[in-house]
Amino acid sequence: MNARLVIIAGSDTGKVLSLQGDDALILGRSQQANLQLNDPRVSRAHCRITPLGDEVILTDLESRSGCFVNDQRVTAQRPLVHGDVVKIGDSSLRFENPSASEMQTLAPVEAAGPPNLPADRLHELSGKKLSDYQIGNVLAKAHSGIVFQARDSKNRDFAFKVLWPEFSRDDSEVQRFIRAMKTMLPLQHPNIVRLFGAGKTGPYCWLAMEYVEGESLMRVIDRLNTGGQINWKSALRIAIYVARALDYAHSKQIIHRNVTPQNILLGKRPDITKLSDLMFAKAMEGKLAEQITRPGELLGDVRFMSPERTGGVSEDVNERSDIWSLGATTYAVLTGKAPFQAPSPIQTILKIRKEDPVRPRSLQPSIPAPLEELILKTLSKNPAGRYQSAREMLTALETFAKSQAVEL
């Protein structure tokens, strides 16, 4: 194991603790600690780092101020992965384990590598192996490629996206994409699909993501179109969980740009609601949007694009654009249809830019009036008329949920 902890912020910036062998190591202020910190907010024995085979486990030793990994508190133990940032007291440490990193580097095509298939035959990768992943059945066809179920050598399940072959033709774009993906590895939130790895194997660029057993929100909406309705409380919960995901993403200066029902996954419990495809937000600049989209297709579902996003000027797209898309998605869950839709994408865009949405209660009378007003606020044509941040929208949603005794 070639792992180490590097102090990147605090009074001991620059100190390094190498993790060699199988011995547990203590971090704290004590002189007996393996890594002694001159941080008054760190306990004498703050936490323990334990190498276990290929894993490294962080254990909080009931410290006064707690241990945090990527801004999430560690309640007992937590495995560390390459790139994790550990915060104890006022000190931040980056965990580095490049030899065990699940982010793959660009590698040449091997003679016995996977077949080079055209886009319309990409599904034939089922049963093949890419990098460390055995590819299984197709889960979904996305705008940017095909998502398979896959397993790694440790028998863990992943959602494995293989991008369209066109994307791999520009090496500079591929390398920039992988660098962007590396910045996404440390990001973790309970309502965001986690990225575990990305890279290029043979002719294919791929991403290994958290596998969520369940279905997309789009499938739920499709069922509403064939009869039935969803309880407004369930729609409210979904909106709150996605707003929490956006609040976290925006705090990291990441705009999603493609919040749609297809990119929201629902697990077997209501709280397992996860926003996917966040990893693409870091790479949605320059030529990349063209590279990962099939010819003749727009990147994303036009029905859930904010008015400013339909203009194609990236500078106009900010947090308030994500808020509009979440509002449109919630509208669709509540009513069974998007607020704006027409026979063609161009007609839909014109509606988004010029028409007012039908009031949700006229389509679904059981929707409470305050919730209707909240959703219509998110759909303001003028970004200044919407909630100005995901946090502001989240506060409004949670306040309403509390007033209605809706459990989260």
Side-chain angles (χ1 to χ4, degrees):
M1 179 178 291
N2 186 30
R4 63 180 190 168
L5 282 164
V6 180
I7 301 179
I8 58 175
S11 56
D12 300 283
T13 298
K15 279 189 177 181
V16 176
L17 175 64
S18 296
L19 308 179
Q20 298 178 350
D22 300 322
D23 295 334
L25 305 174
I26 302 297
L27 280 61
R29 286 190 296 109
S30 170
Q31 292 183 355
Q32 282 70 47
N34 300 96
L35 181 60
Q36 184 181 12
L37 301 174
N38 298 307
D39 183 339
R41 295 192 63 238
V42 169
S43 299
R44 292 180 60 79
H46 199 101
C47 60
R48 180 172 60 242
I49 304 293
T50 308
L52 289 175
D54 292 333
E55 290 192 319
V56 175
I57 307 297
L58 169 69
T59 304
D60 184 1
L61 299 178
E62 300 183 358
S63 59
R64 291 174 300 172
S65 57
C67 297
F68 298 82
V69 176
N70 305 325
D71 297 326
Q72 293 189 341
R73 183 155 191 161
V74 177
T75 55
Q77 292 185 333
R78 166 75 177 268
L80 298 177
V81 299
H82 179 66
D84 276 349
V85 175
V86 179
K87 185 172 178 60
I88 58 176
D90 292 324
S91 301
S92 297
L93 305 90
R94 183 175 59 243
F95 177 68
E96 298 179 352
N97 190 16
S99 63
S101 171
E102 293 180 89
M103 174 61 69
Q104 305 297 314
T105 58
L106 291 174
V109 180
E110 298 178 1
N116 191 347
L117 298 171
D120 59 355
R121 294 177 55 196
L122 210 57
H123 62 277
E124 294 179 23
L125 287 174
S126 290
K128 304 295 192 296
K129 189 172 184 179
L130 285 184
S131 185
D132 192 37
Y133 301 89
Q134 186 68 38
I135 301 177
N137 295 328
V138 173
L139 294 176
K141 179 182 177 181
H143 286 279
S144 51
I146 292 183
V147 183
F148 301 86
Q149 187 170 354
R151 286 191 170 182
D152 67 358
S153 59
K154 297 180 181 178
N155 211 31
R156 297 176 297 184
D157 286 318
F158 293 86
F160 193 84
K161 177 179 283 189
V162 180
L163 303 185
W164 297 124
E166 293 94 319
F167 175 73
S168 302
R169 294 173 185 165
D170 187 328
D171 284 343
S172 63
E173 288 295 312
V174 170
Q175 293 184 44
R176 192 175 67 81
F177 171 75
I178 292 178
R179 288 195 299 270
M181 293 306 96
K182 286 183 178 180
T183 70
M184 303 300 293
L185 279 176
L187 301 186
Q188 296 182 51
H189 186 275
N191 298 118
I192 292 176
V193 173
R194 185 177 176 188
L195 175 68
F196 287 101
K200 183 183 179 188
T201 301
Y204 304 106
C205 288
W206 52 264
L207 303 100
M209 302 170 289
E210 176 184 3
Y211 174 68
V212 180
E213 189 174 358
E215 62 181 350
S216 74
L217 185 56
M218 182 59 78
R219 290 188 181 180
V220 175
I221 295 173
D222 288 342
R223 286 202 298 273
L224 297 181
N225 290 327
T226 59
Q229 64 184 50
I230 191 171
N231 185 288
W232 66 264
K233 292 183 180 181
S234 297
L236 175 61
R237 291 187 187 98
I238 292 169
I240 288 173
Y241 293 135
V242 178
R244 289 175 178 174
L246 289 177
D247 181 43
Y248 174 80
H250 294 172
S251 74
K252 305 297 182 183
Q253 289 73 54
I254 298 171
I255 310 302
H256 190 285
R257 291 181 171 87
N258 196 25
V259 179
T260 69
Q262 186 63 41
N263 283 332
I264 297 171
L265 303 180
L266 307 181
K268 292 188 174 182
R269 302 195 316 268
D271 61 310
I272 304 179
T273 298
K274 293 179 180 280
L275 180 62
S276 68
D277 262 8
L278 179 67
M279 63 287 302
F280 277 106
K282 271 288 186 183
M284 287 293 96
E285 299 172 358
K287 294 186 295 181
L288 191 60
E290 301 172 11
Q291 295 282 351
I292 67 173
T293 308
R294 301 290 294 128
E297 292 185 0
L298 291 170
L299 183 62
D301 190 329
V302 172
R303 296 174 298 169
F304 301 95
M305 290 183 182
S306 65
E308 62 271 20
R309 189 169 170 233
T310 65
V313 180
S314 60
E315 289 79 4
D316 294 337
V317 177
N318 55 32
E319 292 94 336
R320 297 174 297 183
S321 182
D322 281 349
I323 290 168
W324 194 98
S325 297
L326 176 53
T329 295
T330 307
Y331 183 109
V333 180
L334 287 166
T335 67
K337 58 188 293 186
F340 305 99
Q341 54 187 39
S344 73
I346 294 299
Q347 290 172 304
T348 301
I349 288 173
L350 290 175
K351 281 178 172 286
I352 289 172
R353 291 178 179 176
K354 299 181 179 300
E355 295 185 10
D356 293 326
V358 174
R359 296 188 74 90
R361 281 165 57 96
S362 67
L363 302 172
Q364 181 53 266
S366 66
I367 300 170
L371 181 57
E372 178 184 66
E373 293 304 319
L374 191 155
I375 299 305
L376 291 175
K377 181 180 176 72
T378 69
L379 296 176
S380 170
K381 305 291 185 195
N382 184 349
R386 303 172 203 156
Y387 295 102
Q388 297 302 289
S389 68
R391 175 62 58 87
E392 184 182 356
M393 181 180 180
L394 176 60
T395 298
L397 288 166
E398 290 181 335
T399 299
F400 175 71
K402 186 175 181 180
S403 73
Q404 301 296 308
V406 177
E407 294 184 5
L408 300 174

